[in-house]
């Protein structure tokens, strides 16, 4: 909210203080630089992180920074990091390493590392010791304090390392600098209480906290007015939305409330945990015409023994009954999933159960990962059975099975009439996405991004093609 002088106001005293830091930073920047200094912001990891970066960029904008995609033009570099797999962390360390030379050329360059990696004490310690040119590191729970950190560092404070633990309520009122126009992220909750035995997220993001429905609905309305045609509701486990809130609204209720907002837009959400995927939610999905006919429902494994060791709290029978029920209610729905290959103790027999489940569900797409031990999680201490070579062989086998299924689904989609949201172009031809998640090329059509059109899927040649109807 703006006051009479155009300054940001917040109900929350802590945020008001941050806005005043931002103002002071903008004054420093005006005296320090003759032109608007530029920030290079790079985001690793999940959509939740992408959404957080929109708010971090909002704060940077408030401080007087512009933005660049060129590292060499930047006066401030911010890496919003992910810790979910070792590979993700290695990439960040590599990219932070590259900044050493830039800092030597430009000692005024402000280097900031934040997000899930920064929240972990061992990583913070490693950066403190081995990357002396990193100016500021802060964790996920204090990200609204970016203006304070930048102000202090610009004012000569020693390097800042701040990653306290503990859930804080989602900070309402942080300004937002949206990346897209017609696609919008809308975080509805933070954190995770599930402690799947392989996963670092509960440690980097803390316990679940849901935003109040009024705040979510207010933001949804703002996004719609701002031109959003697709709103992606975000949370590590959206199905447990609302637990602990003042008002009784659960995720099914929230979907219905957003669906009832006026406007032509589509609602998507991720991620759904099967253990909290209720009949009430599936019915709500089926009755809300703006909610996509697609459910990302990560199964992780098709072996009950492995699911137990993963602490996923459902078995394959429960999972398959959800899929069946969803299909009864929404015959045209498509499923996607996440799968981990090579969890400790997994044998080829277990892996074959996963293949069987994939064939039974017939997913439209899979996000597949080889197990990566995350220090501090229970699975990191479990003995591994399969070798690296075996795991990658299984992985390839799974991709082959999945590729065939996806192709069969695409072929079966030929002849269907779908509503597409134009989201891309391919050699001058408009490309749209349907509510089921089909990506369809409209040959000979040039259409503005963000427009809804009705089309018929005409053929498949490795990609789906269609024509307007
Ligand atoms: N909250 C979401 C997932 C967030 S992490 C959910 O529960 O579905 C995204 C995916 O990364 C997970 O679904 C899992 O498949 C994968 N993942 C998480 N930790 C992993 C690890 N240690 N090794 C390999 N894959 C992992
Ligand atoms: Fe990780 Fe499990 Fe939480 Fe998803 S539900 S974020 S996989 S602990
Ligand atoms: Fe990565 Fe953190 Fe998301 S660990 S997957 S950025 S919640």
């Amino acid at each position: 909210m703006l006051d009479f002088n155009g300054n940001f106001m917040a109900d929350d005293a802590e945020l008001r203080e941050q806005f005043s830091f931002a103002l002071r930073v903008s004054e420093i920047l005006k005296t320090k630089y003759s032109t608007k200094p530029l920030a290079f912001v790079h985001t690793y990891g999940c959509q939740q992180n992408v959404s957080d970066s929109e708010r971090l960029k909002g704060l940077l904008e408030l401080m007087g920074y512009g933005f660049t995609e060129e590292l060499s033009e930047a006066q401030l570099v911010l890496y919003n990091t992910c810790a979910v797999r070792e590979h993700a962390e290695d990439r960040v360390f590599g990219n932070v390493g590259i900044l050493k030379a830039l800092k030597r050329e430009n000692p005024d360059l402000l280097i900031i590392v934040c997000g899930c990696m920064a929240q972990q004490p061992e990583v913070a310690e490693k950066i403190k010791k081995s990357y002396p040119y990193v100016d500021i590191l802060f964790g996920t729970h204090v990200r609204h304090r970016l203006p304070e950190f930048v102000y202090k560092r610009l004012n000569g404070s020693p390097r800042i390392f701040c990653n306290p633990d503990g859930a804080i309520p989602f900070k309402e009122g942080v300004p937002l600098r949206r990346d897209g126009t017609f696609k919008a992220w809308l975080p509805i909750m933070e954190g995770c209480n599930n402690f799947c035995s392989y996963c670092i997220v509960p440690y980097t993001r803390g316990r679940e906290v849901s935003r109040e429905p009024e705040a979510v609905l207010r933001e949804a309305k703002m996004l719609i007015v701002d031109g959003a045609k697709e709103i992606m509701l975000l949370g590590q486990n959206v199905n447990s939305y609302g637990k602990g809130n003042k008002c009784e609204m659960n995720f099914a209720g929230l979907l219905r409330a957003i669906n009832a907002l006026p406007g032509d837009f589509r609602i998507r959400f991720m991620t759904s945990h099967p253990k909290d995927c209720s009949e009430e939610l599936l019915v709500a999905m089926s009755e809300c015409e703006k909610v996509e006919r697609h459910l990302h429902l990560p199964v992780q494994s098709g072996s009950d023994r492995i699911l137990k060791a993963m602490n996923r709290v459902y078995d394959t029978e429960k999972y398959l009954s959800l899929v069946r029920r969803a299909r009864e209610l929404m015959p045209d729905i498509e499923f996607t999933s996440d799968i981990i290959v090579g969890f400790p103790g997994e044998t080829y027999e277990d892996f074959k159960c996963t293949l069987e489940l994939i064939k039974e569900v017939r997913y439209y797409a899979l996000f597949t990962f080889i197990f990566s031990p995350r220090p501090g999680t229970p699975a990191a201490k479990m003995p591994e059975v399969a070798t690296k070579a075996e795991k990658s062989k299984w992985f390839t086998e799974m991709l082959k099975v999945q590729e065939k299924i996806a192709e069969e689904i695409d072929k079966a989609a030929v002849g269907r009439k779908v509503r597409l949201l134009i989201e891309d172009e391919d050699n001058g031809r408009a490309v749209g996405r349907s509510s089921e998640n089909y990506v369809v090329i409209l040959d000979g059509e040039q259409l503005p991004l963000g427009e809804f059109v009705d089309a018929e899927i005409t053929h498949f040649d490795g990609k789906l093609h269609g024509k307007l109807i």
Side-chain angles (χ1 to χ4, degrees), residues 66-87:
F67 295 91
T68 177
E69 303 282 307
E70 290 294 326
L71 252 184
S72 57
E73 290 177 355
Q75 295 297 343
L76 181 150
V77 176
L78 183 144
Y79 286 156
N80 190 11
T81 64
C82 169
V84 80
R85 282 170 293 274
E86 198 179 351
H87 177 67

Side-chain angles (χ1 to χ4, degrees), residues 360-371:
E360 178 148 5
V361 177
R362 297 180 61 76
Y363 294 105
Y364 189 44
L366 286 180
F367 300 87
T368 49
F369 311 100
I370 290 189
F371 170 71

Side-chain angles (χ1 to χ4, degrees), residues 46 84-86 192 194 196 198-201 235-237 271-274 296-298 300 312 338-341 367-374 377:
C46 63
V84 80
R85 282 170 293 274
E86 198 179 351
C192 182
N194 290 319
C196 301
Y198 50 81
C199 185
I200 197 73
V201 172
Q236 290 302 340
N237 178 13
T271 298
S272 285
H273 194 303
H296 182 63
L297 194 62
Q300 312 297 355
R312 288 291 287 183
D338 294 350
I339 307 260
I340 297 179
V341 173
F367 300 87
T368 49
F369 311 100
I370 290 189
F371 170 71
S372 167
R374 303 285 62 218
T377 62

Side-chain angles (χ1 to χ4, degrees), residues 199-212:
C199 185
I200 197 73
V201 172
Y203 306 89
T204 63
R205 291 273 175 171
R207 294 301 68 72
E208 262 171 34
V209 188
S210 296
R211 293 176 74 185
E212 290 298 331

